[in-house]
Every structure is written in structure tokens, then in C-alpha cells.
Amino acid sequence: MTNSTVVSGLQAGLKGRDFIDFTDYTPDELQYLIKLAEEIKHKQKSGEVYHPLAGKTLGMFFTKASTRTRVSFEVGMFQLGGHALFLSGNDTQIGRGEPIPDTAQVMSRYVDGIMIRTFSHENVRELAEYATVPVVNALTDLHHPCQVMADILTLKEHKGRLEGLTVAYVGDGNNMANSWIQAAPKFGLHMRVATPPGYECDAAVVEEAKQLAQQFGTELMLTNDPVAAVKNADLIYTDVWASMGQEAEQAERVRKFADFQVNEALAQHAKSDFLFMHCLPAHRGEEVSAGVIDGPHSVIFDEAENRLHVQKAILVATMA
């Protein structure tokens, strides 16, 4: 079987697929999406007109506030020749109690794809179950796969490879950590997560990640010791300590996460050429020091830009 035949098969296999988390995607499919993102990014940077989604419309549901997600998907659809339709929780009947299956079936007759950024992961799965067009998860409380794809593209760009690199995530075992431990083994990445006691990753996702790490021969470390996680790491990653919907816990979390700040002292345990990433928005002086996030190892704005390119790849692969 030739390489072109493999690529053609991957293209055909992704058409019409949902992108909800990494469970249903093989390593080859994920690598294909990263390669496609690289190609689409090159087309844009070179000024090439590329409109594979001409005449297509993406319906975008938001019940969580957003900067990067809304702008990157909306701009991405425009650059691909299509149209994006923004729908907040106040703009649709789903916000007034319309059943998700009804909304899914109606929207499927109007648009060519659905993107959703919301709280419940199960709501996204239900939407995908009843929709007849691709559904893309732009963030839930359980997973943030589009962000991790952007992170992985950024890591590859700066390190020139992925397999064998070590990623250290320090902080809350939230949707970012869940998606990282689920994706890392499929890219050949070693993964370490350091969280305060009681703030670990989702138990079911951890069990899946352990099996994947064993299957693909990668390391998975889950610890309460940030130094152990960061030791000789190629990438240090963190996120806010209190995500959207957890604002009431802010003061308590600041106290419990105090030893988990990514700062210059902690970063000294990583490799000398480590990268720093954060999905943004960031709280300087809280989960990360200004010296790290604004320092020479930080690639947060390359990372933010790559949301645009990987999401365009996902849209092209599933909708074109």
C-alpha cells in the first residue's frame, strides 16, 4: 500500500466524523490532522487561496465565554471559504429547555457542521448522537481536545519531533490535563501530571490513559509532587487554578495550589531548553510567574495562533 493510498484512506475515514475527544481517533488519524494543519498553515502564510469549505456553514454554540475559540473558528471558516454562525445560550431555544436531540436534528438540516463550547461533556455526546453533521467539541468541563491539538502542533514546530518527548502538566487536573493524558500516548509522548491531593484528573480518563500508555510504550506519571513531574521535562504546561464555573472556589484553590505555581525555581528542574505553554487566559503571579510566561521559554502566542490552524484542519477533514 502506497503512502498516497494511506493518506487517501485517512481523508475518507475522517469525512463526516465528530471530534469530541481523543478516544475515537487512532494515532495515524491524529498525525494526519497535525500534518494537514501544517499544510493549511503553509498555504495561509504563503497567501494561497484555499477554499475547500466554500458554501459550507458552521453553527457555533457557546454557553461558555470565549476569546480564542470564537475568533479562531469564525476566522478559520472565513479563510476556508465558508461561513460561521455564532449562537450564544441566549440566542437559541436550547437555552430555554428545548431537548438536545431536537436541536441536533433541526440544526443538521441547516448547517454543515456544529461546533460547541459548553459545560457538560455528556451534552456534547448527546448532540453528536442525534446530529447528522460533524460535531466538534471546542471545550467541555471534561475535555479540551482542540487546544491540545494546537499544543502538539506547537511542540512539534519548536522541537522538530514528538515521539519520546516528556510533557509535564502542573496544576488542576481539569479538562486540559484530561485531554493531555488521553492524547499523549497516541503521539508517543511521555506524560506527567502533578496536582494537589483531591484535584486529580478524571478517574475514568486516567484508567483509559494508563491502558494507552501501556499499549504504546509511553510513560504516565500521576503525582502530587511538581518537582518530580517537571524533572528533565521538554515541556511545562499549566492552566488557571479555578476554571469557568469554579469562581466560588478561587480563594480555597489559591491556598491549596500555592506549591504548584510554575515559576523560575520549579522550571530549573526541567531541561535547559524546555518550552512553556498555557492555554490562556493566564493569571500571572498565580498559576505561573511573569518571569516564566513572559520569558524566553514561553511559546504561548505561537500556541494560541495554532488553534486557528489545527481547527481549520479538523473542519476540512470532517466537513470538506
Side-chain angles (χ1 to χ4, degrees):
M1 183 178 294
T2 65
N3 185 59
S4 61
T5 302
V6 172
V7 171
S8 178
L10 289 170
Q11 290 172 332
L14 294 177
K15 183 178 174 65
R17 290 266 296 277
D18 302 315
F19 191 79
I20 297 175
D21 54 46
F22 294 105
T23 299
D24 300 326
Y25 277 72
T26 67
D28 284 345
E29 290 170 338
L30 293 172
Q31 291 281 5
Y32 168 74
L33 288 174
I34 293 296
K35 180 63 175 175
L36 181 59
E38 292 173 329
E39 294 174 357
I40 290 174
K41 183 175 182 177
H42 176 73
K43 290 178 187 293
Q44 179 184 325
K45 297 293 186 181
S46 65
E48 179 181 344
V49 175
Y50 179 60
H51 289 165
L53 297 185
K56 304 275 188 178
T57 300
L58 178 71
M60 305 193 306
F61 285 98
F62 286 85
T63 61
K64 277 192 173 187
S66 167
T67 299
R68 282 152 291 277
T69 297
R70 178 179 178 180
V71 175
S72 57
F73 270 105
E74 199 161 322
V75 169
M77 278 299 293
F78 174 78
Q79 291 177 347
L80 294 170
H83 175 70
L85 182 65
F86 174 80
L87 300 163
S88 75
N90 297 323
D91 294 328
T92 64
Q93 294 296 335
I94 199 170
R96 299 178 63 245
E98 180 175 43
I100 290 174
D102 291 359
T103 297
Q105 293 177 80
V106 169
M107 289 296 294
S108 295
R109 299 187 180 214
Y110 296 149
V111 301
D112 303 284
I114 297 172
M115 183 232 78
I116 182 167
R117 178 181 172 95
T118 190
F119 292 89
S120 169
H121 198 71
E122 289 309 309
N123 284 353
V124 176
R125 287 211 167 275
E126 186 177 15
L127 183 69
E129 179 182 353
Y130 288 94
T132 57
V133 297
V135 172
V136 177
N137 173 19
L139 177 142
T140 66
D141 285 345
L142 188 63
H143 282 292
H144 198 354
C146 290
Q147 179 66 58
V148 169
M149 288 294 284
D151 302 336
I152 287 171
L153 173 59
T154 309
L155 181 60
K156 184 180 179 184
E157 287 177 341
H158 282 270
K159 292 296 185 182
R161 64 185 177 94
L162 292 171
E163 191 169 354
L165 297 179
T166 298
V167 179
Y169 179 98
V170 178
D172 187 25
N174 60 11
N175 50 7
M176 285 306 315
N178 288 334
S179 283
W180 260 114
I181 66 173
Q182 192 184 56
K186 295 186 177 185
F187 284 100
L189 294 164
H190 303 302
M191 191 73 212
R192 303 175 188 164
V193 178
T195 62
Y199 293 91
E200 290 85 0
C201 295
D202 180 83
V205 178
V206 167
E207 287 307 308
E208 177 188 359
K210 287 179 178 178
Q211 294 176 19
L212 289 170
Q214 183 175 12
Q215 178 183 352
F216 295 110
T218 60
E219 174 193 0
L220 175 63
M221 175 193 289
L222 304 172
T223 179
N224 301 126
D225 182 355
V227 172
V230 167
K231 187 174 177 60
N232 293 323
D234 297 284
L235 167 64
I236 304 177
Y237 201 106
T238 194
D239 190 8
V240 294
W241 290 341
S243 299
M244 283 178 283
Q246 299 172 333
E247 289 81 3
E249 304 174 28
Q250 178 71 23
E252 179 183 11
R253 283 173 172 261
V254 167
R255 178 174 59 84
K256 291 185 176 180
F257 282 70
D259 294 333
F260 289 79
Q261 182 187 80
V262 177
N263 51 36
E264 291 85 339
L266 181 63
Q268 286 182 352
H269 297 279
K271 288 184 179 177
S272 60
D273 62 346
F274 80 93
L275 300 177
F276 172 78
M277 292 189 199
H278 191 304
C279 55
L280 302 179
H283 299 159
R284 287 164 174 81
E286 196 167 291
E287 74 272 6
V288 59
S289 67
V292 170
I293 194 170
D294 298 319
H297 297 275
S298 178
V299 292
I300 59 170
F301 297 116
D302 292 343
E303 176 190 8
E305 177 190 339
N306 280 336
R307 285 287 302 277
L308 173 66
H309 305 301
V310 298
Q311 287 163 186
K312 286 166 71 174
I314 292 166
L315 294 174
V316 169
T318 60
M319 291 174 57

PDB file of all heavy atoms in Angstrom, residues 13-26:
ATOM      1  N   GLY A  13     -11.805   8.405   5.770  1.00  0.00           N
ATOM      2  CA  GLY A  13     -12.262   7.921   7.065  1.00  0.00           C
ATOM      3  C   GLY A  13     -12.681   9.018   8.024  1.00  0.00           C
ATOM      4  O   GLY A  13     -13.443   8.782   8.957  1.00  0.00           O
ATOM      5  N   LEU A  14     -12.165  10.240   7.828  1.00  0.00           N
ATOM      6  CA  LEU A  14     -12.483  11.347   8.725  1.00  0.00           C
ATOM      7  C   LEU A  14     -13.689  12.143   8.260  1.00  0.00           C
ATOM      8  O   LEU A  14     -14.292  12.872   9.059  1.00  0.00           O
ATOM      9  CB  LEU A  14     -11.275  12.273   8.864  1.00  0.00           C
ATOM     10  CG  LEU A  14     -10.057  11.671   9.564  1.00  0.00           C
ATOM     11  CD1 LEU A  14      -8.908  12.657   9.581  1.00  0.00           C
ATOM     12  CD2 LEU A  14     -10.407  11.236  10.980  1.00  0.00           C
ATOM     13  N   LYS A  15     -14.049  12.041   7.019  1.00  0.00           N
ATOM     14  CA  LYS A  15     -15.180  12.804   6.489  1.00  0.00           C
ATOM     15  C   LYS A  15     -16.466  12.439   7.234  1.00  0.00           C
ATOM     16  O   LYS A  15     -16.812  11.273   7.378  1.00  0.00           O
ATOM     17  CB  LYS A  15     -15.355  12.528   4.999  1.00  0.00           C
ATOM     18  CG  LYS A  15     -16.478  13.329   4.340  1.00  0.00           C
ATOM     19  CD  LYS A  15     -16.541  13.033   2.865  1.00  0.00           C
ATOM     20  CE  LYS A  15     -17.726  13.691   2.203  1.00  0.00           C
ATOM     21  NZ  LYS A  15     -17.661  15.148   2.224  1.00  0.00           N
ATOM     22  N   GLY A  16     -17.131  13.447   7.762  1.00  0.00           N
ATOM     23  CA  GLY A  16     -18.386  13.227   8.479  1.00  0.00           C
ATOM     24  C   GLY A  16     -18.219  12.818   9.929  1.00  0.00           C
ATOM     25  O   GLY A  16     -19.217  12.643  10.635  1.00  0.00           O
ATOM     26  N   ARG A  17     -16.973  12.687  10.406  1.00  0.00           N
ATOM     27  CA  ARG A  17     -16.717  12.243  11.784  1.00  0.00           C
ATOM     28  C   ARG A  17     -16.878  13.385  12.771  1.00  0.00           C
ATOM     29  O   ARG A  17     -16.640  14.551  12.465  1.00  0.00           O
ATOM     30  CB  ARG A  17     -15.290  11.698  11.891  1.00  0.00           C
ATOM     31  CG  ARG A  17     -15.065  10.387  11.170  1.00  0.00           C
ATOM     32  CD  ARG A  17     -15.230   9.178  12.077  1.00  0.00           C
ATOM     33  NE  ARG A  17     -14.227   9.159  13.126  1.00  0.00           N
ATOM     34  CZ  ARG A  17     -12.975   8.682  12.969  1.00  0.00           C
ATOM     35  NH1 ARG A  17     -12.586   8.214  11.808  1.00  0.00           N
ATOM     36  NH2 ARG A  17     -12.139   8.670  14.000  1.00  0.00           N
ATOM     37  N   ASP A  18     -17.259  13.052  14.001  1.00  0.00           N
ATOM     38  CA  ASP A  18     -17.252  14.012  15.105  1.00  0.00           C
ATOM     39  C   ASP A  18     -15.835  14.110  15.660  1.00  0.00           C
ATOM     40  O   ASP A  18     -15.031  13.186  15.535  1.00  0.00           O
ATOM     41  CB  ASP A  18     -18.189  13.557  16.226  1.00  0.00           C
ATOM     42  CG  ASP A  18     -19.622  13.368  15.743  1.00  0.00           C
ATOM     43  OD1 ASP A  18     -20.123  14.246  15.018  1.00  0.00           O
ATOM     44  OD2 ASP A  18     -20.237  12.336  16.095  1.00  0.00           O
ATOM     45  N   PHE A  19     -15.535  15.245  16.309  1.00  0.00           N
ATOM     46  CA  PHE A  19     -14.270  15.415  17.015  1.00  0.00           C
ATOM     47  C   PHE A  19     -14.615  15.869  18.431  1.00  0.00           C
ATOM     48  O   PHE A  19     -14.723  17.061  18.711  1.00  0.00           O
ATOM     49  CB  PHE A  19     -13.369  16.437  16.310  1.00  0.00           C
ATOM     50  CG  PHE A  19     -11.968  16.466  16.844  1.00  0.00           C
ATOM     51  CD1 PHE A  19     -11.047  15.501  16.472  1.00  0.00           C
ATOM     52  CD2 PHE A  19     -11.566  17.457  17.727  1.00  0.00           C
ATOM     53  CE1 PHE A  19      -9.751  15.523  16.970  1.00  0.00           C
ATOM     54  CE2 PHE A  19     -10.279  17.493  18.229  1.00  0.00           C
ATOM     55  CZ  PHE A  19      -9.365  16.524  17.849  1.00  0.00           C
ATOM     56  N   ILE A  20     -14.791  14.894  19.325  1.00  0.00           N
ATOM     57  CA  ILE A  20     -15.298  15.183  20.668  1.00  0.00           C
ATOM     58  C   ILE A  20     -14.205  15.022  21.713  1.00  0.00           C
ATOM     59  O   ILE A  20     -14.078  15.825  22.636  1.00  0.00           O
ATOM     60  CB  ILE A  20     -16.500  14.282  20.983  1.00  0.00           C
ATOM     61  CG1 ILE A  20     -17.631  14.599  19.995  1.00  0.00           C
ATOM     62  CG2 ILE A  20     -16.976  14.485  22.426  1.00  0.00           C
ATOM     63  CD1 ILE A  20     -18.824  13.706  20.116  1.00  0.00           C
ATOM     64  N   ASP A  21     -13.428  13.962  21.618  1.00  0.00           N
ATOM     65  CA  ASP A  21     -12.218  13.790  22.417  1.00  0.00           C
ATOM     66  C   ASP A  21     -11.324  12.839  21.634  1.00  0.00           C
ATOM     67  O   ASP A  21     -11.595  12.560  20.470  1.00  0.00           O
ATOM     68  CB  ASP A  21     -12.519  13.306  23.848  1.00  0.00           C
ATOM     69  CG  ASP A  21     -13.370  12.045  23.883  1.00  0.00           C
ATOM     70  OD1 ASP A  21     -13.065  11.099  23.122  1.00  0.00           O
ATOM     71  OD2 ASP A  21     -14.326  11.985  24.674  1.00  0.00           O
ATOM     72  N   PHE A  22     -10.264  12.357  22.251  1.00  0.00           N
ATOM     73  CA  PHE A  22      -9.292  11.563  21.501  1.00  0.00           C
ATOM     74  C   PHE A  22      -9.589  10.062  21.495  1.00  0.00           C
ATOM     75  O   PHE A  22      -8.891   9.302  20.838  1.00  0.00           O
ATOM     76  CB  PHE A  22      -7.888  11.796  22.068  1.00  0.00           C
ATOM     77  CG  PHE A  22      -7.393  13.198  21.857  1.00  0.00           C
ATOM     78  CD1 PHE A  22      -7.351  14.101  22.905  1.00  0.00           C
ATOM     79  CD2 PHE A  22      -6.976  13.620  20.606  1.00  0.00           C
ATOM     80  CE1 PHE A  22      -6.905  15.393  22.719  1.00  0.00           C
ATOM     81  CE2 PHE A  22      -6.535  14.919  20.399  1.00  0.00           C
ATOM     82  CZ  PHE A  22      -6.499  15.811  21.457  1.00  0.00           C
ATOM     83  N   THR A  23     -10.625   9.658  22.190  1.00  0.00           N
ATOM     84  CA  THR A  23     -10.916   8.232  22.330  1.00  0.00           C
ATOM     85  C   THR A  23     -11.116   7.546  20.991  1.00  0.00           C
ATOM     86  O   THR A  23     -10.621   6.443  20.754  1.00  0.00           O
ATOM     87  CB  THR A  23     -12.164   8.029  23.208  1.00  0.00           C
ATOM     88  OG1 THR A  23     -11.916   8.576  24.506  1.00  0.00           O
ATOM     89  CG2 THR A  23     -12.507   6.551  23.340  1.00  0.00           C
ATOM     90  N   ASP A  24     -11.848   8.185  20.093  1.00  0.00           N
ATOM     91  CA  ASP A  24     -12.247   7.537  18.845  1.00  0.00           C
ATOM     92  C   ASP A  24     -11.288   7.782  17.690  1.00  0.00           C
ATOM     93  O   ASP A  24     -11.598   7.451  16.542  1.00  0.00           O
ATOM     94  CB  ASP A  24     -13.654   8.013  18.458  1.00  0.00           C
ATOM     95  CG  ASP A  24     -14.689   7.677  19.517  1.00  0.00           C
ATOM     96  OD1 ASP A  24     -14.541   6.613  20.160  1.00  0.00           O
ATOM     97  OD2 ASP A  24     -15.625   8.462  19.720  1.00  0.00           O
ATOM     98  N   TYR A  25     -10.115   8.356  17.983  1.00  0.00           N
ATOM     99  CA  TYR A  25      -9.151   8.657  16.927  1.00  0.00           C
ATOM    100  C   TYR A  25      -7.881   7.835  17.110  1.00  0.00           C
ATOM    101  O   TYR A  25      -7.354   7.727  18.210  1.00  0.00           O
ATOM    102  CB  TYR A  25      -8.810  10.154  16.907  1.00  0.00           C
ATOM    103  CG  TYR A  25      -9.821  10.974  16.133  1.00  0.00           C
ATOM    104  CD1 TYR A  25     -11.090  11.203  16.649  1.00  0.00           C
ATOM    105  CD2 TYR A  25      -9.515  11.481  14.875  1.00  0.00           C
ATOM    106  CE1 TYR A  25     -12.036  11.937  15.935  1.00  0.00           C
ATOM    107  CE2 TYR A  25     -10.441  12.213  14.155  1.00  0.00           C
ATOM    108  CZ  TYR A  25     -11.699  12.441  14.691  1.00  0.00           C
ATOM    109  OH  TYR A  25     -12.641  13.153  13.972  1.00  0.00           O
ATOM    110  N   THR A  26      -7.402   7.265  16.012  1.00  0.00           N
ATOM    111  CA  THR A  26      -6.179   6.469  16.039  1.00  0.00           C
ATOM    112  C   THR A  26      -4.962   7.383  15.961  1.00  0.00           C
ATOM    113  O   THR A  26      -5.061   8.541  15.537  1.00  0.00           O
ATOM    114  CB  THR A  26      -6.129   5.495  14.852  1.00  0.00           C
ATOM    115  OG1 THR A  26      -5.994   6.263  13.633  1.00  0.00           O
ATOM    116  CG2 THR A  26      -7.395   4.645  14.782  1.00  0.00           C
TER     117      THR A  26
END
